[in-house]
């Protein structure tokens, strides 16, 4: 009785697939073999991960939620009132400064004539006090997730002793108010498991050929012969050619374990430092849109940085006082529950805004000069032309 050769391919558990071996030249025409039925789990099963005390909520492939920090073992320092500031005035800009800013604005626009700048006569300049209050809260948050990598003989330390708690693992914080993150492998959580993707075989069926090792010949479309009736020289008359992705083997190296068959499974601790910032800009009556002020800087008149700030006091504008109280309260409530606040900082900037009225060709017009950069806003510039880009 003639023996059946062992054919290449990849069965459900790495056994030979009852298909065809890589095609040899001169072999008779063949039909497509049945597709192998191999479906490893798309995600690691929950049973793959051990239960680790202190890390029960950790999940695979995603963060298990932010871990609340433990209560401090010593009383937190109480916020102190910031330094007093008696001078809240904004110096007015000169007429020459206003005219120079207007000139630069007009020259930056391809369709703006310079005539209003050269011939316009400034008739009035009004300065407006505009304040920007800013609160920054620099906090540290921690979250955990199960991770894995191909096992290459790395140390295995699970169950040797209890792992440290998520907030007991030291991490080097960056400079205050600078975002950063650090990923730390949690000690005493590493173990070795069979790869869930390839079921510990190191290889998975080739997706390009469905695990059979060959594909329909694109020259003769599987017929084995050309239209003329001659044998197809590309597939040697077989109608199929070896798969170029798996070189006719029907399987490829497992992408998860890189052919190692086993995975090192461990818990990663992700430490995230975030500078959370909120602004409040006082609405002013000049007519300039507030959105313009977010693009410029002002003169910093007040700065207070400490572990927890106290709302600013003694400010002449009650809107800023109320905004400071609200933002300080909101930040402390929002970030103290799920993270550790490391430092807060509050500042007040005085943003100069000057409303300039000028006359040109008998009509009055206005523009605004604002910010330390002397930006200009002139919504209704009186001398524009239509440009067409060819």
């Amino acid at each position: 009785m003639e023996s059946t050769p062992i054919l290449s391919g990849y069965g459900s558990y790495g056994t030979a697939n009852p298909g065809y071996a890589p095609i040899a030249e001169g072999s008779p025409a063949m039909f497509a073999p049945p597709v192998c039925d191999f479906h490893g789990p798309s995600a690691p099963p929950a049973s793959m991960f051990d239960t680790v005390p202190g890390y029960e909520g950790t999940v695979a492939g995603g963060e298990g939620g932010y871990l609340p920090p433990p209560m401090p073992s010593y009383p937190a320092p109480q916020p102190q009132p910031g330094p007093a500031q008696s001078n809240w005035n904004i110096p007015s800009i000169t007429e020459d400064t206003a005219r120079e800013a207007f000139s630069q604005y007009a020259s930056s626009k391809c369709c703006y004539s310079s005539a209003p700048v050269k011939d316009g006569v400034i008739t009035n300049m009004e300065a407006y006090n505009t304040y920007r209050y800013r609160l920054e809260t620099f906090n540290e948050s921690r979250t955990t997730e199960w991770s894995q990598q191909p096992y290459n003989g790395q140390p295995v330390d699970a169950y040797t002793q209890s792992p440290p708690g998520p907030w007991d693992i030291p991490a080097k914080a960056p400079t205050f108010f600078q975002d950063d993150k650090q990923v730390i492998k949690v000690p005493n959580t590493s173990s070795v498991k069979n790869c869930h993707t390839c079921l510990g075989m190191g290889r998975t069926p080739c997706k390009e050929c469905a695990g059979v090792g060959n594909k329909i010949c694109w020259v003769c479309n599987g017929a084995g012969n050309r239209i003329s009736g001659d044998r197809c020289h590309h597939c040697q008359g077989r109608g199929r050619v070896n798969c170029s992705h798996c070189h006719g083997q029907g399987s490829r190296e497992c992408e998860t374990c890189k052919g190692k068959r086993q995975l090192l499974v461990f818990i990663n601790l992700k430490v995230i430092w975030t500078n959370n910032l909120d602004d409040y800009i006082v609405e002013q009556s000049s007519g300039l849109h507030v959105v313009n002020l977010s693009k410029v800087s002002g003169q910093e008149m007040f700065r207070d940085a400490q572990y927890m700030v106290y709302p600013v006091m003694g400010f002449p504008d009650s809107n800023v006082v109320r905004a400071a109280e609200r933002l300080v309260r909101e930040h402390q409530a929002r970030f103290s529950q799920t993270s550790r606040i490391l430092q807060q900082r509050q500042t007040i900037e005085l943003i100069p805004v000057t409303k300039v009225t000028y006359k040109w060709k008998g009509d009055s017009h206005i523009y605004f000069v604002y910010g330390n950069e002397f930006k200009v806003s002139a919504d209704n510039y009186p001398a524009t032309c239509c440009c067409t880009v060819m």
Side-chain angles (χ1 to χ4, degrees), residues 118-305:
K118 295 178 180 178
D119 303 330
V121 177
I122 294 178
T123 58
N124 188 38
M125 293 177 58
E126 298 176 83
Y128 289 83
N129 283 356
T130 304
Y131 309 109
R132 174 165 54 210
Y133 173 81
R134 173 171 293 167
L135 176 63
E136 299 170 85
T137 297
F138 183 65
N139 68 323
E140 175 185 322
S141 57
R142 299 192 173 199
T143 185
T144 58
E145 65 177 349
W146 279 104
S147 300
Q148 61 194 31
Q149 58 186 220
Y151 181 60
N152 293 302
Q154 302 95 313
V156 177
D157 57 9
Y159 304 111
T160 56
Q161 55 182 319
S162 298
W167 286 94
D168 296 328
I169 299 175
K172 185 178 180 181
T175 305
F176 283 160
F177 308 109
Q178 292 186 5
D179 291 353
D180 201 356
K181 65 179 180 180
Q182 185 178 355
V183 179
I184 305 171
K185 181 185 291 186
V186 178
N188 307 320
T189 62
S190 300
S191 61
V192 176
K193 308 289 183 180
N194 282 338
C195 178
H196 61 280
T197 301
C198 64
L199 305 181
M201 302 308 299
R203 300 184 70 84
T204 56
C206 176
K207 296 179 180 178
E208 294 295 325
C209 65
V212 299
N214 53 75
K215 303 171 69 174
I216 294 177
C217 175
W218 63 271
V219 176
C220 66
N221 200 26
N225 298 315
R226 306 294 294 273
I227 298 178
S228 61
D230 297 333
R231 187 178 70 167
C232 176
H233 294 290
H234 183 70
C235 64
Q236 303 302 321
R238 292 177 56 84
R240 300 183 71 84
V241 294
N242 284 342
C243 176
S244 60
H245 290 81
C246 65
H247 306 289
Q249 297 183 22
S251 65
R252 303 183 67 180
E253 180 181 273
C254 176
E255 296 180 357
T256 303
C257 68
K258 305 302 180 184
K260 300 299 181 181
R261 303 189 177 190
Q262 292 181 314
L263 298 172
L264 183 72
V265 180
F266 53 91
I267 294 177
N268 263 339
L269 172 69
K270 183 181 293 185
V271 186
I272 304 172
W273 293 277
T274 308
N275 186 38
N276 304 277
L277 184 149
D278 279 302
D279 281 341
Y280 171 78
I281 299 178
V282 177
E283 292 280 354
Q284 29 77 40
S285 58
S286 67
L288 178 67
H289 298 301
V290 173
V291 66
N292 291 324
L293 302 179
S294 63
K295 305 173 184 178
V296 297
S297 62
Q299 180 180 354
E300 187 175 284
M301 303 297 292
F302 175 82
R303 173 183 287 258
D304 175 29

Side-chain angles (χ1 to χ4, degrees), residues 43-65:
S47 59
M48 183 175 177
F49 305 109
D50 302 323
T51 300
V52 180
Y55 296 85
E56 290 82 357
T58 304
V59 297
E63 299 174 354

Side-chain angles (χ1 to χ4, degrees), residues 37 80 87 107-108 137 155 192 206 247 250-251 321 352-353 385:
D37 185 18
Q80 300 295 324
N87 181 19
S107 63
S108 68
T137 297
V192 176
C206 176
H247 306 289
S251 65
V321 175
V353 176
C385 63

